[in-house]
Amino acid sequence: MSTASAELAPNLQRGIYALSAVLCLVVAFLVLGPVPAGMAGMVDVSMLPYVNATLNSVTAVLLVAGFVAVKTGRIALHKTLMSSSFGSSTVFLLSYVTYHWFSEGPAVYEGAFRSLYLFVLFSHIVLAAIILPLALTTLARGWFGAIPSHKRIAPATLAIWLYVSVTGVLIVWMAHG
């Protein structure tokens, strides 16, 4: 794809949407679906919420560093940092699914700020589903040189991705802290 290209190839964009939909459905099933008998508690996953919070923190730092890199004209560093953000988010997702597959059940927040917790949790879940195709599209546009369209959606992608990363840490802190 040339640098002047405004959009991704339609087949690539459809593939991103299809992959995102499949991944969201798989994650929803693994987290909310029935766990086969004997799986819950088979592996000690009690530390994974803290691993997940760390991965979300790393992702947030990488996102901010990537933003600073592009604003200061360091495009190669920007690409590396944003790819690393996606990598840490991918590792997070694998850890998150592992935790929910082997845990006894979701943590229940019992604190005084339950309404705030539920708002943060709900908005985090909705935006986490939205960020997957948005991040993939933004990364693909940058990677394949569709820079004008990359620049159009990158600010929204950054804002949502940062929100999801930071609220992920907040949710762990509230539910497990």
Side-chain angles (χ1 to χ4, degrees):
M1 180 172 293
S2 72
T3 305
S5 297
E7 301 294 330
L8 294 176
N11 285 343
L12 179 56
Q13 191 65 63
R14 280 193 293 276
I16 287 171
Y17 292 145
L19 175 63
S20 298
V22 167
L23 285 173
C24 284
L25 289 172
V26 167
V27 169
F29 176 77
L30 290 173
V31 171
L32 301 172
V35 176
M39 291 301 287
M42 180 185 281
V43 176
D44 180 11
V45 293
S46 59
M47 290 304 296
L48 286 184
Y50 307 104
V51 170
N52 294 342
T54 301
L55 288 166
N56 272 322
S57 298
V58 167
T59 298
V61 168
L62 289 168
L63 288 169
V64 171
F67 173 76
V68 170
V70 78
K71 288 300 182 184
T72 56
R74 296 177 291 180
I75 304 305
L77 179 59
H78 169 73
K79 282 184 172 184
T80 299
L81 291 166
M82 299 317 269
S83 296
S84 298
S85 297
F86 192 78
S88 63
S89 288
T90 301
V91 173
F92 159 80
L93 185 59
L94 294 171
S95 177
Y96 177 82
V97 167
T98 301
Y99 171 75
H100 283 284
W101 187 252
F102 289 108
S103 68
E104 295 293 335
V108 177
Y109 175 72
E110 304 283 343
F113 302 102
R114 185 154 173 78
S115 294
L116 174 63
Y117 173 78
L118 292 174
F119 172 79
V120 170
L121 180 62
F122 180 75
S123 63
H124 172 85
I125 291 168
V126 169
L127 291 173
I130 291 169
I131 196 56
L132 184 56
L134 191 56
L136 283 170
T137 298
T138 305
L139 287 168
R141 287 178 179 182
W143 195 261
F144 291 114
I147 303 305
S149 60
H150 170 82
K151 286 181 176 181
R152 253 192 331 273
I153 65 170
T157 303
L158 176 64
I160 294 169
W161 203 348
L162 272 173
Y163 181 85
V164 169
S165 296
V166 171
T167 56
V169 175
L170 183 60
I171 289 164
V172 169
W173 178 69
M174 292 178 83
H176 298 276

